[in-house]
Amino acid sequence: MTQPDVSVIIGAYEAMPYLVECLASVEAQTIDPGRLEVIAVDDGSTDGTGECLEEFAARAPMSVTVVRQENSGGPSGPRNVGLGKAAGRYVFFLDADDRLGPEALERMVSMADKNGTDVVLGRVEGVNRTAPKSMWGKTLDRTDVYSSNIKFTLSAQKLFRRALLERHGMRFDESLWTGEDALFTLEAYLRADGVSVVADHTCYYLVGRDDGKHVTKSGSYTLRFDSARALMKLIDDMVPAGDKRDVLMVRPFLITLLPQFGPKFLTDSEDVRRTKLELAKPLMEAYWTPGVARRLKVHERLRLHLVAMQRPDLLLDVVKFVKEKKQAAAVLEKRGTRLYLLYPHFRSKTAGVPDEIYRAEAREASAFDGYRAAAANTFLRRALRKIRRSLPRKGFGAAAA
């Protein structure tokens, strides 16, 4: 048999009736069935998921392998089983709740082949749930994790060149109960010889279940800290200190860690608040830098600064303010080139929070009337003015000659 172009790996647990549409979307793909294989792993379902997969295998025009196993407790195990059996040049991870868009696999394989890229992102749309948006501005033949917004979509539903995964022995971390896909995908981005983005065609539909369940179990808040810790360590291990590392660190701070200090923090018990701050403390000490801080909005930076300071008393005031969705008042200084947002405890001597924490960067400040960006290089402009003043005035030089 010739090697298939793509292996679709489906991990399925209690996936009925959503699995029916998921499999129909695979069968409807325009890629030649001979170029496609499906490896489906039933992770101990009791609702007919396994039987549905076997029925599909018996009638589907492409090669289908069904594995039935005891429940592993999360999506990593089934995905790793599928990876171990995959033979395709590429692999695509499809959740049993979700479905592929028309032509998705054909378009993504073509994009990877045309550009020689190792990872391809296909546009995602949400059905009864939200989906990431910031990375779909335009189709990109070749990009990377630093110069695009792909770091804000770290789910596993992407096309990966299997040779990349095998070369680096990449598998999903089965010790993580949430965020395991983020760890896997970010490592792939960092190791990839280029990433492509298909933004002009919906390749994947992220489906929200009516029963509120999903393949990934929500679990305890402590699992979110495990996820943040693992992702920050990966970035620290793979990217030298500096701007590039700071760019990537924004993601776990903003998406994984900060929500633990959002509105839910107000209703947490004192014990939970204390535990959250204790769990955050070593992460803040190891990875929170001025370069990360300046890439955040003021209220995001302020909350994380207060987490770093271990000041829940001040943090609660800020979280309450943010929850009420008030627009913080602004004060302009330095002829309009500095704008501070007056969140709680601004210039409070007892709080002792530095002014710089409240200072809006140009992107956030530009929404306010009266703000003007400071010169990109004030020192250079001053030096040029001095040089001009030192030059002979017009006419004087000519008279001297």
Side-chain angles (χ1 to χ4, degrees):
M1 290 181 63
T2 57
Q3 182 184 28
D5 280 342
V6 59
S7 302
V8 176
I9 297 173
I10 304 174
Y13 174 70
E14 304 289 302
M16 298 299 287
Y18 302 91
L19 180 61
V20 175
E21 283 196 50
C22 172
L23 297 176
S25 75
V26 175
E27 198 168 8
Q29 291 299 297
T30 51
I31 196 169
D32 189 305
R35 297 168 56 196
L36 175 65
E37 70 168 0
V38 176
I39 302 166
V41 182
D42 172 27
D43 199 36
S45 301
T46 59
D47 66 345
T49 288
E51 290 76 10
C52 180
L53 290 173
E54 289 177 348
E55 289 170 7
F56 177 72
R59 63 173 171 77
M62 72 283 294
S63 170
V64 180
T65 300
V66 177
V67 179
R68 301 186 73 171
Q69 64 181 33
E70 293 295 317
N71 182 251
S72 66
S76 292
R79 287 171 180 163
N80 286 340
V81 169
L83 264 177
K85 295 181 176 297
R89 293 190 298 123
Y90 302 98
V91 296
F92 188 92
F93 298 100
L94 171 61
D95 280 357
D97 304 333
D98 302 331
R99 58 181 184 264
L100 292 168
E103 304 177 23
L105 296 177
E106 186 173 17
R107 287 175 181 251
M108 287 189 285
V109 168
S110 175
M111 179 68 100
D113 284 346
K114 180 180 75 169
N115 299 293
T117 45
D118 287 335
V119 184
V120 180
L121 287 66
R123 185 183 184 91
V124 177
E125 286 190 19
V127 179
N128 297 325
R129 63 181 295 187
T130 58
K133 295 180 175 65
S134 66
M135 61 296 305
W136 311 125
K138 61 183 292 189
T139 291
L140 301 171
D141 284 349
R142 177 173 279 266
T143 188
D144 59 51
V145 72
Y146 305 109
S147 52
S148 67
N149 273 340
I150 64 172
K151 64 179 174 293
F152 290 113
T153 174
L154 297 183
S155 61
Q157 295 84 28
K158 296 166 180 63
L159 191 78
F160 298 90
R161 190 179 296 273
R162 192 166 66 87
L164 171 77
L165 308 183
E166 296 305 318
R167 184 162 61 248
H168 297 286
M170 288 181 57
R171 292 296 186 269
F172 291 89
D173 186 340
E174 296 183 35
S175 72
L176 285 177
W177 294 96
T178 185
E180 76 295 326
D181 49 352
L183 198 66
F184 180 92
T185 303
L186 183 57
E187 183 178 351
Y189 286 167
L190 289 168
R191 296 193 185 281
D193 179 8
V195 179
S196 297
V197 178
V198 178
D200 58 355
H201 182 84
T202 300
C203 294
Y204 198 87
Y205 289 94
L206 196 64
V207 178
R209 293 175 60 135
D210 293 332
D211 58 11
K213 296 179 182 178
H214 196 253
V215 171
T216 303
K217 298 177 181 178
S218 58
S220 163
Y221 68 88
T222 60
L223 302 181
R224 306 294 171 180
F225 286 92
D226 292 341
S227 176
R229 187 182 306 110
L231 200 57
M232 290 173 178
K233 184 179 186 303
L234 174 75
I235 295 167
D236 186 57
D237 288 345
M238 293 192 66
V239 185
D243 283 348
K244 285 187 172 182
R245 183 190 288 179
D246 290 340
V247 164
L248 296 187
M249 281 292 183
V250 166
R251 200 279 179 190
F253 273 110
L254 189 61
I255 304 300
T256 312
L257 194 62
L258 186 61
Q260 301 309 312
F261 302 98
K264 179 67 173 64
F265 193 69
L266 298 175
T267 58
D268 286 336
S269 68
E270 287 294 333
D271 285 344
V272 169
R273 289 176 188 167
R274 189 180 308 110
T275 302
K276 284 184 173 182
L277 287 166
E278 288 171 356
L279 290 169
K281 189 173 189 291
L283 303 181
M284 303 304 296
E285 290 173 349
Y287 306 120
W288 179 243
T289 67
V292 176
R294 69 181 175 82
R295 287 175 166 86
L296 301 179
K297 292 180 180 178
V298 171
H299 76 85
E300 298 162 348
R301 182 192 313 136
L302 176 57
R303 279 186 283 159
L304 286 169
H305 176 80
L306 295 174
V307 170
M309 290 177 64
Q310 298 283 292
R311 291 294 304 270
D313 52 334
L314 306 182
L315 179 59
L316 285 168
D317 293 336
V318 177
V319 174
K320 287 174 187 173
F321 187 96
V322 172
K323 183 185 177 184
E324 292 171 0
K325 297 184 178 179
K326 296 178 183 177
Q327 173 57 63
V331 59
L332 284 161
E333 296 181 356
K334 298 288 183 180
R335 298 182 181 179
T337 61
R338 287 189 188 177
L339 185 140
Y340 298 96
L341 293 178
L342 308 189
Y343 286 98
H345 307 295
F346 177 64
R347 288 181 179 166
S348 161
K349 290 183 179 180
T350 55
V353 181
D355 282 7
E356 285 304 301
I357 301 298
Y358 293 87
R359 182 178 171 183
E361 293 294 317
R363 186 173 178 181
E364 186 176 9
S366 61
F368 293 84
D369 290 339
Y371 172 77
R372 60 189 186 89
N377 194 331
T378 305
F379 174 79
L380 180 60
R381 291 185 65 184
R382 287 174 181 168
L384 287 172
R385 282 200 296 268
K386 287 182 179 179
I387 291 170
R388 290 193 192 102
R389 284 198 295 267
S390 69
L391 293 174
R393 294 179 184 176
K394 288 183 180 179
F396 179 82

mmCIF file of all heavy atoms in Angstrom, residues 14-22 47 96 209:
data_model
loop_
_atom_site.group_PDB
_atom_site.id
_atom_site.type_symbol
_atom_site.label_atom_id
_atom_site.label_comp_id
_atom_site.label_asym_id
_atom_site.label_seq_id
_atom_site.Cartn_x
_atom_site.Cartn_y
_atom_site.Cartn_z
ATOM 1 N N GLU A 14 -17.629 8.927 25.204
ATOM 2 C CA GLU A 14 -19.035 9.322 25.403
ATOM 3 C C GLU A 14 -19.415 10.402 24.385
ATOM 4 O O GLU A 14 -19.904 11.470 24.763
ATOM 5 C CB GLU A 14 -19.251 9.832 26.838
ATOM 6 C CG GLU A 14 -18.839 8.838 27.921
ATOM 7 C CD GLU A 14 -19.767 7.648 28.035
ATOM 8 O OE1 GLU A 14 -20.969 7.863 28.265
ATOM 9 O OE2 GLU A 14 -19.311 6.497 27.892
ATOM 10 N N ALA A 15 -19.182 10.117 23.117
ATOM 11 C CA ALA A 15 -19.269 11.150 22.074
ATOM 12 C C ALA A 15 -20.596 11.177 21.327
ATOM 13 O O ALA A 15 -20.759 11.980 20.397
ATOM 14 C CB ALA A 15 -18.128 10.957 21.073
ATOM 15 N N MET A 16 -21.522 10.317 21.679
ATOM 16 C CA MET A 16 -22.800 10.289 20.967
ATOM 17 C C MET A 16 -23.712 11.424 21.442
ATOM 18 O O MET A 16 -23.695 11.779 22.626
ATOM 19 C CB MET A 16 -23.477 8.936 21.194
ATOM 20 C CG MET A 16 -22.664 7.774 20.659
ATOM 21 S SD MET A 16 -22.382 7.867 18.875
ATOM 22 C CE MET A 16 -24.033 7.456 18.277
ATOM 23 N N PRO A 17 -24.528 12.003 20.531
ATOM 24 C CA PRO A 17 -24.664 11.700 19.098
ATOM 25 C C PRO A 17 -23.731 12.525 18.209
ATOM 26 O O PRO A 17 -23.818 12.433 16.989
ATOM 27 C CB PRO A 17 -26.123 12.060 18.822
ATOM 28 C CG PRO A 17 -26.355 13.264 19.706
ATOM 29 C CD PRO A 17 -25.545 13.003 20.963
ATOM 30 N N TYR A 18 -22.865 13.325 18.815
ATOM 31 C CA TYR A 18 -22.022 14.243 18.040
ATOM 32 C C TYR A 18 -21.075 13.495 17.111
ATOM 33 O O TYR A 18 -20.703 13.989 16.043
ATOM 34 C CB TYR A 18 -21.218 15.140 18.999
ATOM 35 C CG TYR A 18 -22.117 15.930 19.912
ATOM 36 C CD1 TYR A 18 -22.484 15.426 21.160
ATOM 37 C CD2 TYR A 18 -22.637 17.158 19.516
ATOM 38 C CE1 TYR A 18 -23.333 16.130 21.997
ATOM 39 C CE2 TYR A 18 -23.473 17.874 20.351
ATOM 40 C CZ TYR A 18 -23.830 17.344 21.582
ATOM 41 O OH TYR A 18 -24.684 18.053 22.399
ATOM 42 N N LEU A 19 -20.706 12.280 17.490
ATOM 43 C CA LEU A 19 -19.784 11.492 16.691
ATOM 44 C C LEU A 19 -20.327 11.218 15.295
ATOM 45 O O LEU A 19 -19.558 11.115 14.334
ATOM 46 C CB LEU A 19 -19.488 10.169 17.410
ATOM 47 C CG LEU A 19 -18.545 9.196 16.724
ATOM 48 C CD1 LEU A 19 -17.173 9.815 16.519
ATOM 49 C CD2 LEU A 19 -18.437 7.895 17.539
ATOM 50 N N VAL A 20 -21.635 11.125 15.166
ATOM 51 C CA VAL A 20 -22.237 10.829 13.855
ATOM 52 C C VAL A 20 -21.872 11.914 12.837
ATOM 53 O O VAL A 20 -21.422 11.625 11.729
ATOM 54 C CB VAL A 20 -23.773 10.699 13.985
ATOM 55 C CG1 VAL A 20 -24.405 10.512 12.605
ATOM 56 C CG2 VAL A 20 -24.129 9.530 14.902
ATOM 57 N N GLU A 21 -22.038 13.180 13.222
ATOM 58 C CA GLU A 21 -21.689 14.279 12.310
ATOM 59 C C GLU A 21 -20.190 14.386 12.126
ATOM 60 O O GLU A 21 -19.700 14.744 11.052
ATOM 61 C CB GLU A 21 -22.252 15.598 12.839
ATOM 62 C CG GLU A 21 -23.742 15.775 12.603
ATOM 63 C CD GLU A 21 -24.173 17.224 12.778
ATOM 64 O OE1 GLU A 21 -23.534 18.119 12.172
ATOM 65 O OE2 GLU A 21 -25.137 17.463 13.527
ATOM 66 N N CYS A 22 -19.435 14.096 13.170
ATOM 67 C CA CYS A 22 -17.979 14.119 13.069
ATOM 68 C C CYS A 22 -17.509 13.153 11.983
ATOM 69 O O CYS A 22 -16.726 13.518 11.095
ATOM 70 C CB CYS A 22 -17.368 13.744 14.417
ATOM 71 S SG CYS A 22 -15.582 13.519 14.403
ATOM 72 N N ASP A 47 -21.752 4.640 25.843
ATOM 73 C CA ASP A 47 -22.961 5.193 25.209
ATOM 74 C C ASP A 47 -23.119 4.781 23.754
ATOM 75 O O ASP A 47 -23.907 5.386 23.019
ATOM 76 C CB ASP A 47 -22.937 6.726 25.305
ATOM 77 C CG ASP A 47 -21.814 7.347 24.493
ATOM 78 O OD1 ASP A 47 -20.884 6.607 24.097
ATOM 79 O OD2 ASP A 47 -21.865 8.568 24.236
ATOM 80 N N ALA A 96 -13.954 14.097 18.735
ATOM 81 C CA ALA A 96 -15.174 13.398 18.319
ATOM 82 C C ALA A 96 -16.425 14.255 18.438
ATOM 83 O O ALA A 96 -17.457 13.937 17.845
ATOM 84 C CB ALA A 96 -15.338 12.126 19.145
ATOM 85 N N ARG A 209 -21.203 21.252 23.148
ATOM 86 C CA ARG A 209 -22.221 20.237 23.429
ATOM 87 C C ARG A 209 -23.374 20.825 24.227
ATOM 88 O O ARG A 209 -23.175 21.653 25.109
ATOM 89 C CB ARG A 209 -21.594 19.073 24.193
ATOM 90 C CG ARG A 209 -20.606 18.279 23.380
ATOM 91 C CD ARG A 209 -19.905 17.218 24.198
ATOM 92 N NE ARG A 209 -20.837 16.256 24.754
ATOM 93 C CZ ARG A 209 -20.651 14.929 24.743
ATOM 94 N NH1 ARG A 209 -19.568 14.419 24.170
ATOM 95 N NH2 ARG A 209 -21.525 14.114 25.283
#
